[in-house]
Amino acid sequence: MSAKTMELGVALKIIKNNLIWVIALPLIAMVIAFGISKYYLVPQYTSSAQIFITTNVESGSEKETTVYSEQLRTNMQMANTFNTILKSSRILETVRSEMKLPESNDELANKINIKSDKDSLVFTVSVEDASPERAREIVNKITQTYQKDLPKLVSNNKIIILEPANLPLEATSPNIVINTMIAFVLGIIGSILLVSLIYLFRNVIEGEADLEEMSLKFVGDIPLIK
């Protein structure tokens, strides 16, 4: 009998002897994750609006069209700058003051997510909050404030709100299914670690196979006499 066969046999024996825990750990982890996600974590709702940054140049001649194209390319290169301005204290302080929000500027900034496609001046501004109505109000106030303030900071630019903020009907987090599946996988990993630890730290000789594994000869056994 090879060493690999003996090791596999020992591992299978350990799994068999601890089968209840091997099965129970993933199930317990799933139940805990499901309970925390559904009854403990506060649901968060995400509301989004789309804005477009354009220039104030009216195309009435070939020269003006060229100016507009150059300004458009410049704006694309300034995309990160526009994002920074939108989440700046200047904008957030105005929003907080007008809405009387309890969050600090940093806390409010952490709720804001800005996305844009490559080489595009269309931005999606999202806010996550425990209240769907409040999330929508914050997004609308941010985009409206940005619409008024950006032309003062960057000349010849203006904001067009393509889509105002929507009212989210379903929570975006926590994701109960994903959290439960992650817990299940972690439970399986925990079961594997449990079997491995039992295998590594076992110090009891249970039969002839254990002696052969340690290169010892089996001479005989003593029957149990009651």
Side-chain angles (χ1 to χ4, degrees):
M1 182 183 293
S2 65
K4 288 184 177 180
T5 303
M6 286 191 295
E7 290 177 0
L8 179 60
V10 172
L12 292 175
K13 186 177 181 180
I14 293 174
I15 293 174
K16 181 180 178 180
N17 292 339
N18 298 274
L19 187 61
I20 294 177
W21 284 110
V22 171
I23 297 175
L25 281 178
L27 295 178
I28 292 172
M30 288 177 65
V31 171
I32 293 175
F34 178 84
I36 291 176
S37 299
K38 187 168 182 64
Y39 301 107
Y40 181 76
L41 297 179
V42 178
Q44 299 292 315
Y45 298 84
T46 302
S47 180
S48 303
Q50 274 193 339
I51 61 174
F52 173 55
I53 300 177
T54 185
T55 63
N56 281 322
V57 178
E58 296 182 0
S59 181
S61 66
E62 183 178 350
K63 181 179 180 180
E64 289 176 344
T65 302
T66 303
V67 171
Y68 180 84
S69 299
E70 292 177 355
Q71 185 67 33
L72 194 61
R73 284 194 294 269
T74 301
N75 284 354
M76 288 181 180
Q77 296 172 358
M78 292 178 62
N80 290 333
T81 301
F82 291 136
N83 289 346
T84 302
I85 294 174
L86 196 152
K87 296 180 70 172
S88 67
S89 297
R90 176 188 178 100
I91 301 294
L92 299 183
E93 189 64 40
T94 302
V95 173
R96 287 181 57 247
S97 176
E98 293 184 4
M99 293 189 65
K100 298 180 180 180
L101 300 176
E103 294 93 338
S104 64
N105 288 345
D106 290 338
E107 290 173 340
L108 184 56
N110 290 333
K111 290 186 173 185
I112 302 172
N113 185 36
I114 306 171
K115 291 183 179 180
S116 63
D117 296 330
K118 185 179 179 181
D119 298 330
S120 173
L121 290 172
V122 176
F123 298 87
T124 301
V125 184
S126 303
V127 168
E128 188 178 66
D129 193 81
S131 168
E133 293 82 7
R134 190 167 178 268
R136 180 176 63 176
E137 291 174 4
I138 293 175
V139 174
N140 283 332
K141 178 59 67 174
I142 288 174
T143 53
Q144 290 166 7
T145 304
Y146 193 44
Q147 187 179 40
K148 295 176 183 177
D149 209 40
L150 183 65
K152 301 175 184 177
L153 300 174
V154 185
S155 60
N156 295 330
N157 282 279
K158 65 178 180 179
I159 301 292
I160 298 176
I161 299 177
L162 298 178
E163 292 184 12
N166 62 309
L167 179 65
L169 301 178
E170 297 182 359
T172 52
S173 67
N175 192 315
I176 297 177
V177 175
I178 292 180
N179 290 350
T180 303
M181 294 306 299
I182 291 175
F184 177 73
V185 173
L186 293 177
I188 292 177
I189 295 174
S191 299
I192 295 173
L193 290 177
L194 175 64
V195 172
S196 301
L197 289 174
I198 294 175
Y199 177 80
L200 290 174
F201 292 101
R202 67 191 181 95
N203 54 10
V204 177
I205 296 176
E206 298 178 348
E208 184 179 350
D210 293 338
L211 293 175
E212 293 178 356
E213 187 179 346
M214 294 184 292
S215 300
L216 297 176
K217 292 184 178 181
F218 175 75
V219 177
D221 55 8
I222 301 175
L224 179 63
I225 301 176
K226 295 184 179 179

